[in-house]
């Protein structure tokens, strides 16, 4: 089965007929279908499949002669953001399987195991913690903390995992024998377009975080309450969103309020509460802390003018990641690929922070659009990515 055939297999899974975007949240039927698909295509290739108690998966291509050499791991994720694109995640998984096909067709025999991994809840779209699967596998988060997280419907993560037939007490994947990790990913910007190349290598991931802003006010009648008598948390939120945009522009960093909940959410009432989630990303950990501080401070100042209250809670923070520079240089030399930074988070960042030498390959995205149904990559570039990954795995597994 070719790359194109695998890509077609995934086309309709979790796809919205309205937007054409994907809803592949973890521990839902769409994600179970993707997990079953991964099992089917990897087992059909004679790979040795492991699925852990959270739903993380690895399919192993073992050398003919048993080897104690550290393994090469590649892969990505199959979950999506809400109404996401087809490429973010699945491109890395499908390319990894296709790269094994390419290597086999070339007659290549690995000297060390090559694994294709799928980490669950990479986007944190359901339980709010980015890269949950890889965090648990590397021990940077614990199951005891994670299981208490709730989704938007109030369902505990522990219950969602159990309801999908998985049991974390059966254990999690072990990365003990893994010597390096390479994640191929669609580029989520326009750097490669500007450079007119199909493939790039990552240098670093900007630190980033998600912060919950709770604005408390007083519910009241939208008609009879004089403007000067209101304690309107929507107003405080609106001014805070403007401040976030301004502060990020001034500092040449990134800040986004992409999610908001309003109570009671009625047209003819001043709201009692607004909860908004800030996504902030900066070129250094200090810059991130300063940006979030500046936005929180301006929000609190505005709250005191509005008679409202603001509290800020960090829900998911990922520190700065510098990928192994020797590995990046040696992979870039394979195809004279440029080495570029990214502002997007990845499981590769978590594995790198856990001390595993890690690299990323990016595949050109002609518009740069991502986390959107419009995310796209040309098939020729996807196939160039598969060849690049095959060359990379051949170099690392020899
Ligand atoms: C994940 O793709 C993120 O950057 O939030
Ligand atoms: Mn993403
Ligand atoms: Mn991704």
């Amino acid at each position: 089965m070719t790359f194109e055939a695998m890509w077609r297999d995934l086309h309709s899974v979790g796809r919205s007929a309205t937007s054409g975007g994907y809803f592949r949240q973890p521990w839902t039927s769409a994600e179970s279908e993707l997990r079953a698909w991964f099992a089917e295509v990897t087992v059909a290739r004679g790979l040795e499949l492991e699925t852990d108690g959270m739903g993380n998966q690895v399919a192993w291509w073992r050398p003919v002669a048993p080897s104690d050499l550290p393994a090469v791991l590649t892969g990505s994720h199959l979950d999506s953001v809400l109404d996401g694109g087809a490429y973010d995640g699945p491109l890395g998984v499908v390319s990894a399987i296709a790269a094994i096909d390419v290597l086999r067709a070339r007659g290549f025999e690995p000297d060390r195991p090559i694994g294709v991994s799928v980490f669950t809840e990479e986007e944190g779209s359901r339980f709010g913690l980015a890269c949950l699967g890889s965090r648990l596998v590397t021990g940077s988060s614990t199951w005891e903390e994670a299981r208490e997280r709730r989704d938007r419907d109030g369902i505990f993560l522990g219950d969602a995992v159990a309801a999908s037939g998985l049991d974390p007490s059966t254990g999690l994947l072990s990365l003990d024998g893994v010597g390096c990790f390479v994640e191929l990913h669609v580029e989520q910007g326009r750097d490669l377009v500007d450079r007119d190349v199909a493939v790039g290598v990552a240098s670093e991931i900007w630190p980033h975080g998600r912060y919950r802003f709770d604005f408390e006010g007083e519910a009241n009648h939208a008609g009879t309450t004089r403007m000067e008598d209101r304690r309107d948390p929507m107003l405080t939120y609106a001014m805070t969103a403007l401040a976030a945009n301004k502060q990020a522009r001034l500092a040449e960093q990134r800040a986004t309020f992409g999610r908001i909940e309003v109570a009671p959410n009625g047209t003819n009432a001043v709201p009692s509460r607004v909860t908004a989630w800030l996504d902030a990303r900066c070129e250094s950990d200090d810059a991130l802390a300063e940006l979030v501080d500046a936005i929180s401070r301006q929000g609190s100042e505005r709250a005191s003018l509005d008679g409202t209250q603001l509290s800020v809670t960090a829900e998911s923070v990922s520190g700065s990641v510098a990928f192994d520079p020797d590995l990046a240089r040696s992979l870039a030399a394979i195809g004279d690929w440029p080495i570029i930074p990214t502002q997007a988070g990845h499981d590769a960042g978590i594995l790198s922070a856990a001390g595993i030498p890690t690299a990323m390959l990016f595949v050109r995205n002609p518009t740069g659009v991502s986390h959107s149904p419009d995310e796209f990559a040309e098939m020729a570039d996807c196939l160039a990515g598969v060849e690049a990954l095959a060359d990379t795995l051949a170099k690392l597994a020899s």
Side-chain angles (χ1 to χ4, degrees):
M1 188 190 278
T2 59
F3 177 96
E4 289 94 327
M6 286 190 276
W7 201 247
R8 273 197 302 277
D9 277 354
L10 299 185
H11 176 75
S12 61
V13 185
R15 185 167 190 260
S16 157
T18 321
S19 67
Y22 289 91
F23 290 82
R24 294 167 167 171
Q25 276 52 67
W27 307 296
T28 61
S29 59
E31 208 219 20
S32 300
E33 205 179 319
L34 292 165
R35 200 175 294 121
W37 170 86
F38 181 76
E40 188 185 318
V41 293
T42 53
V43 169
R45 283 165 169 77
L47 305 182
E48 185 186 306
L49 179 72
E50 282 182 58
T51 300
D52 76 7
M54 295 284 297
N56 297 303
Q57 293 176 299
V58 181
W60 292 105
W61 180 18
R62 305 262 182 213
V64 181
S67 159
D68 291 336
L69 292 172
V72 178
L73 195 64
T74 182
S76 190
H77 59 98
L78 291 172
D79 64 309
S80 73
V81 294
L82 298 170
D83 212 12
Y87 296 80
D88 178 355
L91 184 65
V93 176
V94 174
S95 298
I97 301 167
I100 289 184
D101 292 347
V102 167
L103 290 175
R104 284 175 162 176
R106 288 183 194 168
F108 174 81
E109 292 287 350
D111 289 340
R112 55 185 78 218
I114 298 180
V116 179
S117 58
V118 179
F119 291 109
T120 194
E121 174 72 316
E122 191 271 353
E123 298 288 4
S125 65
R126 183 164 177 195
F127 290 99
L129 183 59
C131 300
L132 178 71
S134 57
R135 281 181 200 261
L136 290 171
V137 164
T138 56
S140 70
S141 293
T142 65
W143 172 243
E144 286 62 39
E145 290 158 3
R147 66 187 301 164
E148 300 304 326
R149 298 182 87 95
R150 289 174 188 254
D151 71 6
R152 292 164 200 233
D153 297 323
I155 297 172
F156 284 106
L157 192 154
D159 293 337
V161 173
S164 73
L166 293 159
D167 177 3
S169 72
T170 59
L172 296 179
L173 294 178
S174 166
L175 301 183
D176 283 352
V178 171
C180 65
F181 179 59
V182 181
E183 180 171 358
L184 177 146
H185 206 278
V186 68
E187 198 200 355
Q188 299 170 290
R190 293 180 39 83
D191 211 329
L192 297 178
V193 177
D194 293 346
R195 293 167 190 264
D196 197 20
V197 288
V199 173
V201 176
S203 55
E204 58 167 317
I205 298 180
W206 278 22
H208 52 284
R210 303 175 186 190
Y211 308 84
R212 195 182 72 240
F213 280 55
D214 289 299
F215 302 90
E216 299 288 339
E218 181 184 54
N220 215 331
H221 195 289
T224 58
T225 315
R226 289 183 305 194
M227 296 311 279
E228 56 274 30
D229 289 346
R230 297 173 181 218
R231 294 171 48 214
D232 184 350
M234 184 68 93
L235 194 56
T236 318
Y237 159 68
M239 297 306 292
T240 307
L242 291 174
N245 186 279
K246 183 169 179 184
Q247 290 305 312
R249 282 170 183 270
L250 287 172
E252 294 184 27
Q253 314 291 339
R254 312 274 157 88
T256 310
F257 278 103
R259 176 181 169 199
I260 177 172
E261 284 175 6
V262 181
N265 210 17
T267 305
N268 57 354
V270 175
S272 57
R273 181 173 49 77
V274 171
T275 307
W277 282 263
L278 171 72
D279 179 306
R281 308 188 185 220
C282 294
E283 67 204 348
S284 71
D285 294 304
D286 285 350
L288 179 62
E290 274 167 35
L291 179 64
V292 175
D293 268 5
I295 297 167
S296 308
R297 201 173 46 250
Q298 293 193 10
S300 296
E301 283 165 15
R302 180 70 208 193
S304 60
L305 295 176
D306 293 338
T308 56
Q309 283 182 329
L310 167 61
S311 61
V312 179
T313 310
E315 288 197 338
S316 172
V317 180
S318 307
S320 116
V321 171
F323 289 116
D324 186 315
D326 294 337
L327 183 59
R329 269 194 299 273
S330 117
L331 300 190
I334 295 174
D336 200 17
W337 302 316
I339 302 181
I340 57 175
T342 180
Q343 294 75 33
H346 300 283
D347 293 314
I350 302 296
L351 269 61
S352 175
I356 297 174
T358 295
M360 290 192 75
L361 297 181
F362 292 130
V363 170
R364 175 166 52 191
N365 171 338
T367 61
V369 171
S370 187
H371 285 187
S372 150
D374 292 337
E375 182 179 82
F376 183 65
E378 297 288 351
M379 185 52 74
D381 286 351
C382 294
L383 297 179
V386 171
E387 291 291 329
L389 185 59
D391 293 344
T392 298
L393 297 177
K395 183 165 189 168
L396 295 172
S398 296

